[in-house]
Amino acid sequence: MFEKFLMKLRARDDISAEEERALRDSAGEVVRYSAGTTFIPAGKVLRHSTLLVDGFLGRYKDMRDGQRQVSELHVPGDFADLHSFSLKYLDHNIMAMTACTVVQVPHEKLEAITEQHPHLARLLWFMTNLDASIHREWVVSLGRRSALKRTAHLFCELQVRLAVVGLASESEYALPLTQIELAECLGLTSVHVNRVLRELRERALVEFRSSRVTILDLPALRRLAEFDPAYLYLDKRSR
Amino acid sequence: MFEKFLMKLRARDDISAEEERALRDSAGEVVRYSAGTTFIPAGKVLRHSTLLVDGFLGRYKDMRDGQRQVSELHVPGDFADLHSFSLKYLDHNIMAMTACTVVQVPHEKLEAITEQHPHLARLLWFMTNLDASIHREWVVSLGRRSALKRTAHLFCELQVRLAVVGLASESEYALPLTQIELAECLGLTSVHVNRVLRELRERALVEFRSSRVTILDLPALRRLAEFDPAYLYLDKRSR
DNA sequence: CGCGGACTTGATGTCCCTCAAGCCGCGTGG
DNA sequence: CCACGCGGCTTGAGGGACATCAAGTCCGCG
């Protein structure tokens, strides 16, 4: 259950055997959701946090006119709502973008960790700060990158985040999203996403088809996107 | 020094006298920066966090072509870089948008708090989660709101955040930013911000001039912006 | 009095949206 | 087995929101 989360943690700091045990002991119920299920609605008071084991999740808000904006995509090993531990309820919804398996971690267990394992507690804090860092990069993307660069940037980000948990190589990874869902992440329409994908393909940078991203030229893709992975804090050090 | 930060905390949870003492004891050096100073550059290893006492700060990233995107504005009572405690260095820069006074809080003091005051530690964690929530709302703004609504939304957000620390009424507050800086927050050009401000003025919703925001019709402004303050977590409860 | 920075406004351009149509693959049911 | 419906993808034509370029104006300050 915690394998991918531990991979993600160990990419940033050392985890002792005892800390690993404390984490494994915190596991609650395992739950499956089918694609399209909004299983955490905004405003609902939560008593556990949700660790994604398999599949893709998205955090999103809807506008009055029906438009939707996804503020973060989650990959296996991510906590979807670790922030609900101190927030108590969320300001946004969380949905399963694909079929998903999650483990629920009761907030009492998290509270015990904060009291008994200060270093591990700091790492949980770190994980929510990492989400915030990803949000900031999306702000920059939406504010200042063209549709083409923004899309390229998202593919770069997911490549790194998935590689950390062993789900991507330098050249490809599975991404079972529709162009509509991609558009909801990118602040675009699906029509325009389609045109952007065509251009990325024609430029021989990336291909996105049948739920799979194939990276043809990673250095060129990163150059186009102005992608700098520093915001993912992948250096290992004492946090 | 900590008055506004305590106001901000007490809007969300109760703080005991002992916790207040622990906070006050954590104060380090008081520093002043003049407008325009980038005093925390991305990547620099930090040994203290910075609490803003007076003035406005901004977190930003620059693009290759010289464009800039601000990912969050900070008002008095905000920690500018509480997240540096677990991140160790920042992925973005922090600059004084106006002349500022800050208190530095050494990371050792924060570490002591996490070990001796678990509830207070959770509240510090909460504060970084609140920043993340603000980031998400900016993602939504940049992704799905028109320039007009986005600008209106920013004025609504700042009204609430400044009111919490006693620096705004329902109808006005000081905001000593240029239209260029506003544009850097909103993902627009200063030329377009100027036109948007004119429209907001002509519609009798808000005026922004000589470093001051005057709100003419708050309900209408909020309606236009689709502003829902839920993301600022202003309900008082045990966190 | 002259300079620079912020603000303002107009003319033109472009990126992305909207609307519309057609295609393809797939599942369902007659 | 084919008809059909449906959701996702694709492409074209036209429009609109915001950018770019280019003048100016205003104002504080040396």
Side-chain angles (χ1 to χ4, degrees):
Chain A
M1 296 281 71
F2 285 83
E3 271 54 47
K4 292 197 164 45
F5 181 58
L6 283 162
M7 288 171 83
K8 190 180 166 185
L9 280 171
R10 289 199 162 112
R12 276 82 178 197
D13 197 356
D14 292 319
I15 309 293
S16 71
E18 196 192 333
E19 287 170 336
E20 181 171 340
R21 208 172 313 120
L23 276 176
R24 292 191 189 279
D25 285 350
S26 72
E29 214 174 322
V30 174
V31 187
R32 264 166 244 283
Y33 299 107
S34 54
T37 317
T38 292
F39 61 95
I40 304 180
K44 183 183 176 190
V45 175
L46 301 168
R47 299 213 153 63
H48 55 77
S49 288
T50 306
L51 177 61
L52 178 57
V53 176
D54 189 55
F56 286 83
L57 298 177
R59 305 184 180 181
Y60 71 93
K61 296 190 187 188
D62 285 326
M63 312 300 292
R64 259 201 311 258
D65 65 0
Q67 291 200 89
R68 175 171 292 183
Q69 180 65 43
V70 173
S71 58
E72 191 173 359
L73 278 179
H74 285 295
V75 306
D78 287 357
F79 265 101
D81 61 343
L82 189 50
H83 51 320
S84 72
F85 175 53
S86 68
L87 295 177
K88 302 306 174 196
Y89 57 88
L90 300 185
D91 52 294
H92 56 82
N93 312 290
I94 299 188
M95 76 177 284
M97 312 287 287
T98 67
C100 284
T101 306
V102 307
V103 209
Q104 297 179 344
V105 177
H107 284 171
E108 313 111 56
K109 302 276 189 172
L110 293 175
E111 189 158 356
I113 286 175
T114 62
E115 281 161 13
Q116 292 155 30
H117 300 277
H119 173 250
L120 188 51
R122 210 152 58 238
L123 281 173
L124 293 178
W125 189 354
F126 170 87
M127 286 300 159
T128 63
N129 286 336
L130 185 56
D131 285 326
S133 183
I134 292 168
H135 293 337
R136 282 192 291 277
E137 195 61 42
W138 284 38
V139 166
V140 173
S141 262
L142 289 161
R144 296 297 178 203
R145 279 189 257 259
S146 67
L148 191 74
K149 293 181 180 212
R150 201 186 304 163
T151 307
H153 197 280
L154 180 61
F155 287 143
C156 291
E157 174 180 312
L158 290 173
Q159 189 274 327
V160 172
R161 291 173 60 196
L162 286 165
V164 168
V165 292
L167 293 175
S169 71
E170 298 270 295
S171 64
E172 63 165 357
Y173 55 87
L175 186 69
L177 300 185
T178 65
Q179 293 183 7
I180 295 169
E181 291 163 334
L182 226 42
E184 288 167 353
C185 296
L186 294 166
L188 301 170
T189 60
S190 65
V191 173
H192 198 63
V193 165
N194 184 280
R195 294 189 226 268
V196 164
L197 291 175
R198 170 155 49 113
E199 174 149 10
L200 288 171
R201 194 183 331 119
E202 283 169 0
R203 289 201 193 186
L205 296 172
V206 232
E207 285 181 18
F208 175 69
R209 68 155 61 112
S210 50
S211 298
R212 179 152 284 278
V213 174
T214 308
I215 299 174
L216 306 171
D217 188 343
L218 185 55
L221 187 68
R222 289 184 165 190
R223 231 176 298 124
L224 170 66
E226 286 189 49
F227 178 78
D228 175 357
Y231 75 99
L232 296 172
Y233 292 89
L234 283 160
D235 58 322
K236 191 154 174 170
R237 58 163 70 212
S238 175
R239 306 253 175 215
Chain B
M1 293 281 72
F2 285 83
E3 271 55 45
K4 292 196 163 47
F5 181 59
L6 283 162
M7 289 171 83
K8 190 180 166 185
L9 280 171
R10 290 200 161 111
R12 277 81 178 197
D13 196 356
D14 292 320
I15 309 294
S16 70
E18 196 192 333
E19 288 170 336
E20 180 171 339
R21 208 171 315 121
L23 276 176
R24 293 189 189 278
D25 286 350
S26 72
E29 213 174 324
V30 175
V31 186
R32 264 166 242 282
Y33 299 108
S34 54
T37 317
T38 291
F39 62 95
I40 304 181
K44 183 182 177 190
V45 175
L46 301 168
R47 299 215 153 63
H48 56 78
S49 288
T50 306
L51 177 62
L52 179 56
V53 176
D54 189 55
F56 286 82
L57 298 177
R59 304 184 180 183
Y60 71 93
K61 294 191 187 188
D62 285 327
M63 311 300 290
R64 259 202 310 258
D65 66 359
Q67 290 200 91
R68 175 170 293 183
Q69 181 64 43
V70 172
S71 57
E72 190 173 359
L73 278 179
H74 285 294
V75 306
D78 287 356
F79 263 102
D81 62 342
L82 189 50
H83 51 320
S84 72
F85 175 52
S86 69
L87 294 177
K88 302 307 174 197
Y89 56 88
L90 300 186
D91 53 292
H92 55 83
N93 312 290
I94 299 189
M95 75 176 284
M97 312 287 286
T98 66
C100 284
T101 306
V102 306
V103 208
Q104 297 180 344
V105 177
H107 284 172
E108 312 111 56
K109 301 276 189 172
L110 292 175
E111 190 158 356
I113 286 175
T114 62
E115 280 160 14
Q116 293 155 30
H117 300 276
H119 173 250
L120 188 52
R122 210 152 57 238
L123 281 173
L124 293 177
W125 189 353
F126 171 87
M127 285 301 160
T128 63
N129 287 337
L130 185 56
D131 285 326
S133 184
I134 291 168
H135 293 336
R136 282 192 291 277
E137 196 61 42
W138 283 38
V139 165
V140 172
S141 263
L142 288 162
R144 296 297 178 205
R145 277 189 258 260
S146 68
L148 192 73
K149 292 180 179 213
R150 200 186 305 162
T151 307
H153 197 279
L154 181 60
F155 287 143
C156 290
E157 174 180 313
L158 289 173
Q159 188 274 326
V160 172
R161 291 173 60 195
L162 287 166
V164 167
V165 291
L167 293 174
S169 71
E170 297 270 293
S171 64
E172 62 165 357
Y173 54 88
L175 185 69
L177 301 185
T178 64
Q179 293 183 7
I180 295 170
E181 291 163 333
L182 225 42
E184 288 167 352
C185 297
L186 294 166
L188 300 169
T189 59
S190 65
V191 172
H192 198 64
V193 164
N194 183 280
R195 294 190 227 269
V196 164
L197 291 175
R198 170 153 51 110
E199 175 150 11
L200 288 171
R201 195 184 330 120
E202 283 169 2
R203 289 202 193 186
L205 295 172
V206 230
E207 285 182 18
F208 175 70
R209 70 156 60 111
S210 50
S211 299
R212 177 152 286 276
V213 173
T214 308
I215 300 176
L216 306 171
D217 188 342
L218 186 56
L221 187 68
R222 289 183 166 192
R223 230 176 299 125
L224 170 66
E226 285 187 51
F227 179 77
D228 174 356
Y231 75 98
L232 296 172
Y233 291 89
L234 284 161
D235 58 321
K236 191 154 173 169
R237 57 165 69 213
S238 175
R239 306 255 175 212

